[in-house]
Amino acid sequence: RDIEFLEPIEVTILSERRVHRPYGIKGGLSGKTGLNLLIYPDGRVVNFGGKNNAKVPAHTRIRIMTPGGGGYGEPADHAEDEVNETLP
């Protein structure tokens, strides 16, 4: 999801699972990490990290890509097409 700031603003984010992948349980595989990006009007893209604060100019966007969930159960115990759909 992208959010564009129409005026200069101070933006803060407090999020998790940007470095460590969400864990699976009962043998399930880990999910994908999330990512937060600042996209400046001049085209620069900066990794904003999981916990950060910055003053940004008008028309800067923040792109928030939420992490995927960890798997449940051993992949070998599921049908192959179910496993392939959920691999990171």
Side-chain angles (χ1 to χ4, degrees):
R1 121 187 41 146
D2 281 18
I3 301 167
E4 183 175 352
F5 306 111
L6 301 179
E7 299 178 6
I9 192 169
E10 184 171 353
V11 61
T12 301
I13 190 140
L14 179 61
S15 57
E16 292 288 335
R17 302 296 177 190
R18 296 322 191 245
V19 175
H20 301 287
R21 295 165 41 164
Y23 57 86
I25 58 173
K26 297 195 178 211
L29 300 175
S30 296
K32 290 184 179 181
T33 57
L35 182 64
N36 302 320
L37 300 172
L38 282 181
I39 305 165
Y40 288 91
D42 64 6
R44 286 180 301 136
V45 178
V46 176
N47 183 340
F48 198 43
K51 296 167 181 62
N52 209 341
N53 176 280
K55 292 181 180 177
V56 298
H59 302 289
T60 299
R61 291 180 292 142
I62 186 168
R63 179 170 294 160
I64 302 170
M65 294 179 272
T66 55
Y72 179 84
E74 293 285 344
D77 295 341
H78 298 281
E80 185 175 343
D81 59 334
E82 289 176 339
V83 174
N84 289 336
E85 288 178 9
T86 61
L87 287 175

